[in-house]
Amino acid sequence: MILQMSPFISGPTLLSSYRLNPLLFSKRQRCMKLPHWHFNRTKQRFFAVAAAENNKDTLPKTFDFTSEERIYNWWESQGYFKPNFERGSDPFVISMPPPNVTGSLHMGHAMFVTLEDIMVRYHRMKGRPTLWLPGTDHAGIATQLVVEKMLAAEGIKRVELSRDEFTKRVWEWKEKYGGTITSQIKRLGASCDWTRERFTLDEQLSRAVVEAFIRLHEKGLIYQGSYMVNWSPNLQTAVSDLEVEYSEEPGTLYYIKYRVAGRSDFLTIATTRPETLFGDVALAVNPQDERYSQFIGMMAIVPMTYGRHVPIISDKYVDKEFGTGVLKISPGHDHNDYLLARKLGLPILNVMNKDGTLNEVAGLFRGLDRFEARKKLWSDLEETGLAVKKEPHTLRVPRSQRGGEVIEPLVSKQWFVTMEPLAEKALHAVEKGELTIMPERFEKIYNHWLSNIKDWCISRQLWWGHRIPVWYIVGKEEEYIVARNADEALEKAHQKYGKNVEIYQDPDVLDTWFSSALWPFSTLGWPDVSADDFKKFYPTTMLETGHDILFFWVARMVMMGIEFTGSVPFSHVYLHGLIRDSQGRKMSKTLGNVIDPIDTIKEFGADALRFTISLGTAGQDLSLSIERLTANKAFTNKLWNAGKFILQNLPSQNDISRWEMLLAYKFDEEECLCKAPLPECWVVSKLHMLIDTVTASYDKYFFGDVGRETYDFFWSDFADWYIEASKARLYRSEYDSDAIIAQAVLLYIFENILKLLHPFMPFVTEELWQSLRKRKEALIVSPWPQTSLPRHMSAIKRFENLQSLVILI
């Protein structure tokens, strides 16, 4: 009676053709909680009733996570991961950021694998030929360290082996353990084309590296010189800025007196590294500092150096407020001092050996470790009365990311790439719109780095990696030959120096980032520009990676791509943030807050993990917690239970006539939708609106919006309202028209939900898809839902009025 009189409902539609589910008005429903009205509390009884009444096949109680590997292997065996040009000609191509071959899966890997797989699966369903090209990086320093530790356990030191013997052991290790990270990436559901998997030391990629070096050298962009680098005393190699981590640590500020030559005056300096005073080449003061203006132009005597004199100079670089306002200039062991010395034409004096001990310049301190020398020097300064005081001081200490030891700024002879002309072209690519960086705010960082770029040190003093293609002339080491191989080098040497000449190759290898910078095109066959893959798939479409390597990797790929191919290597860059713990802290073994992806998959399933970490926003860090994983595991179960209910209430496979009646409904047509009862018209209209919204968000790479919108529709509109509302008529006669249209809508909505969610949750959606009858193809390659389908706003409004009424009651 209330419904007949209610102003919220117009016309006889609801009462004449649809029976309200009495559960909507049951006593239990008075305790409903928003935003999700948990009508599923009574579903268990209905599932059991439906199964008993219809005697149909049912799914297992829950989705079995162990079936994920079975599903994945089936996809791969069917060739679904390979690009298919039958449905389209415009390929979508991503080059996977190659993880270190030494690595095991961490949440950073899980993040990029999930996001890239979402992109690839979406575009595959859209009909585009998709290529996600996987591979691993040889990780020069990391791999050499791992193998050296393995050898140490056998009582063997690397230097006791020849270079060839050592690299042979590394290759043996790689063959045995190098596939770990690949198998773990597969557990996440990565739909890569594994037939195209690459390794940065593959023959083809190594050929590309040599070719790149030679071409840059021929253009005068590669040179050799002695410059300041980050030196790792333990690893005995230069390391990149990326491999140096700075930490705030307690230290000491030492105050030391320098006598002014020819006078009784002293100037007191403050330093955190007194052992480097043996490399002092000047004392500097600010020209505006009246305390020291009288000493400018005089000489000072460096303590403990047997009277070595250095000039007292002025430069505005000196901070009057730090320490005493007098700065010791040690350009051989400080980046800022090095730049100042080069500007002023001061000499460079190195006091350190490659192993971190002091050299002959340090006199009596020669051979001492740098930290031992610091202690002894301070003690001797105290004895001579030149030590003023020392006080606690917080230091920003550079440490090796690999070994953990303190990095030593050191002037060393290395190979460099001149970056400025390369950077100019990369800047123009963004300016001209050839490259889009997401989020847009990172364009400023990109532009700042490239506008202030320094030359790139590309040589490393290692045995594992791409050997620098340079050969020296025995007896004339200042001269060298650049060649593609030893035979070509010898032939060039014979032509220039005669048949009796002897040559030897540079022992250094190239920075790992050098080969990584060529990754988007070397993996497709470059320098052979006629290779099929290069012609079909280059330039690539998308580069997805962490924002922390925007410069170290992304910008270098852009520079090298333009230089060697004439094209920007990808049109879009998507940058994700870091995964942090529930308190917003960076995950680390020290804090004990690391969440292991493989353990997480075993407990919650790959789909729940993927859905959880895909709900973030581009460029922003994501907090991960067990609570979120648990909630999204519940979402997986909710999806599974909905599938069970629908499967139990569909006609049997052999009931051909009923299936024909059911499939006769074409809800993508205006006429069919108009004739549908209010609940069906409402939920189908909402679905069609969702498809448009979600597709637009996919195209904009707003994956968090996709996940949340689809989740809300499935849980609130479909599960909480429509499934509950459909039950009353599902239990009528099998051939009742109301029951048939309810079955048709349940199937139509559910299969479209599975499609929308598949890029996020590939395993459970594929399993449910295969369980539904009348499937013609795998979900992974099924067409994406059409957009701009009919919807009835009046039906949506009327049903929303009904919802409001029910909630009020």
Side-chain angles (χ1 to χ4, degrees), residues 608-624:
L609 173 60
R610 287 169 60 111
F611 194 76
T612 303
I613 61 180
S614 61
L615 295 181
T617 303
Q620 293 185 5
D621 294 350
L622 175 74
S623 293
L624 182 65

Side-chain angles (χ1 to χ4, degrees), residues 143-162:
T143 307
Q144 182 158 317
L145 271 176
V146 167
V147 177
E148 284 187 11
K149 288 178 181 177
M150 181 187 73
L151 292 172
E154 301 174 17
I156 303 172
K157 294 181 179 180
R158 173 173 62 89
V159 292
E160 296 172 355
L161 301 176
S162 69

Side-chain angles (χ1 to χ4, degrees), residues 70-81:
R70 167 182 55 79
I71 296 169
Y72 188 90
N73 292 335
W74 177 71
W75 283 330
E76 189 174 9
S77 69
Q78 297 301 305
Y80 293 140
F81 298 164

Side-chain angles (χ1 to χ4, degrees), residues 518-532:
L518 314 178
W519 184 252
F521 47 95
S522 65
T523 53
L524 295 173
W526 187 88
D528 181 6
V529 294
S530 64
D532 274 352

Side-chain angles (χ1 to χ4, degrees), residues 215-231:
R215 292 190 188 185
L216 289 173
H217 186 270
E218 287 174 348
K219 291 186 70 173
L221 295 177
I222 283 183
Y223 64 93
Q224 190 180 42
S226 294
Y227 296 93
M228 176 72 70
V229 297
N230 301 309
W231 184 262

